[in-house]
Amino acid sequence: WLKMKVRAPRSQMASYNPDDFYAYIDLSNAKEGMNTVKVQAHVPNGYEVVSLSSEYINVILEPIITRDVSIRITSTGNIADNMVLKNIRSEKTHMYIKGPSSILNNVDHLVGAVDVTGEKSDFRTTVSLHPVNSDGLAVEGVTLEDSSVGVTVDLEKMISKKTVALHPVANGELPPDLKLDGIKIEPAKIEVSGEPTDLDKVTAINSMPIDLGTIKESCSLDVDLNLPAGIKAENGTVKININVS
């Protein structure tokens, strides 16, 4: 703090306004680095400056610089059940910031957080950005090109997987002169995927039906799987070996 001592007629002192008294410095000729500048005083007419607690003060000036830093967006909260966060896409991956060099050199990146609480589908929102250092602590005194950025959040349904048995299905009857010696499906098991609630209902997967009435000899057939709604398999076709005599 700077103290100023003034004098004036007693009648004038009785009605003074403190805001009319102030000290100032002229930096028009100052240069980068340390500057010792004279303190000047402003007082209303009729007042005289007797003394200032400091006639000179030291002022350090540094350049205002601009940097390009990366943007990192994180998520907070819990999305709806059976949903997973697939991706967060920011409209910008970098942004210019401006400020004193000593402060700006401490900035590592910009951070923003998007709240995904209860979300059930993709959505777009705007996220506020803040400069932080390499330890994630906020850095004050920085001007951002934009105070926020638009982000798009991609969600998808949670997918589970499990391995279940495969069952061959045959309808009809063989021709009278043939006897079924065996029917085998390859592979015997398969990995299927789907939403957890759908997958819990699946204990085995059947093949699409084979019409035994069309069989004339032992053979191997490529047959599609009869997959329930919401259930997927990497390979939807299996081989069924039919042995007859």
Side-chain angles (χ1 to χ4, degrees):
W1 287 93
L2 186 69
K3 292 183 179 181
M4 180 190 303
K5 186 176 181 180
V6 300
R7 64 185 170 197
R10 184 182 299 275
S11 59
Q12 197 165 356
M13 282 288 194
S15 59
Y16 76 93
N17 182 352
D19 293 337
D20 292 334
F21 301 81
Y22 56 87
Y24 65 94
I25 56 175
D26 181 5
L27 296 177
S28 58
N29 295 318
K31 300 179 181 180
E32 181 180 342
M34 178 69 75
N35 295 265
T36 301
V37 293
K38 184 176 177 58
V39 178
Q40 303 183 58
H42 174 274
V43 296
N45 290 334
Y47 288 84
E48 178 186 354
V49 177
V50 176
S51 64
L52 292 170
S53 58
S54 297
E55 291 188 31
Y56 292 89
I57 62 172
N58 294 325
V59 178
I60 300 176
L61 298 182
E62 58 180 308
I64 299 296
I65 63 173
T66 300
R67 281 184 55 206
D68 181 38
V69 294
S70 63
I71 297 173
R72 302 179 188 176
I73 306 297
T74 59
S75 64
T76 61
N78 298 315
I79 57 179
D81 292 341
N82 296 330
M83 299 297 295
V84 292
L85 178 60
K86 182 180 180 181
N87 190 31
I88 299 178
R89 294 177 285 124
S90 174
E91 290 181 351
K92 296 180 179 180
T93 59
H94 289 74
M95 184 176 290
Y96 284 105
I97 59 174
K98 183 170 66 174
S101 57
S102 62
I103 294 178
L104 228 62
N105 289 335
N106 291 326
V107 177
D108 186 72
H109 59 277
L110 303 179
V111 296
V114 56
D115 186 6
V116 299
T117 302
E119 296 292 344
K120 299 179 181 179
S121 59
D122 299 349
F123 67 96
R124 187 187 180 282
T125 188
T126 300
V127 174
S128 298
L129 297 174
H130 308 280
V132 297
N133 61 19
S134 57
D135 294 324
L137 301 177
V139 179
E140 303 294 338
V142 179
T143 301
L144 278 61
E145 177 186 2
D146 290 306
S147 60
S148 60
V149 68
V151 298
T152 299
V153 180
D154 299 322
L155 305 178
E156 63 181 4
K157 291 183 178 180
M158 183 184 296
I159 300 300
S160 297
K161 295 181 179 182
K162 73 176 181 180
T163 300
V164 296
L166 291 177
H167 294 164
V169 176
N171 292 338
E173 296 182 359
L174 289 168
D177 57 337
L178 293 178
K179 181 182 73 171
L180 182 62
D181 293 329
I183 181 169
K184 183 178 180 181
I185 191 168
E186 296 180 359
K189 296 181 179 181
I190 195 169
E191 184 179 74
V192 292
S193 61
E195 294 182 41
T197 52
D198 292 331
L199 207 59
D200 287 343
K201 303 173 186 176
V202 178
T203 57
I205 299 293
N206 294 332
S207 72
M208 296 300 288
I210 299 170
D211 184 2
L212 293 178
T214 63
I215 302 300
K216 298 180 180 180
E217 59 184 354
S218 296
C219 61
S220 294
L221 303 175
D222 291 327
V223 181
D224 292 336
L225 293 175
N226 187 10
L227 293 169
I231 301 300
K232 296 181 179 180
E234 185 174 345
N235 188 355
T237 302
V238 293
K239 187 177 294 294
I240 295 181
N241 299 315
I242 301 175
N243 293 317
V244 298
S245 57

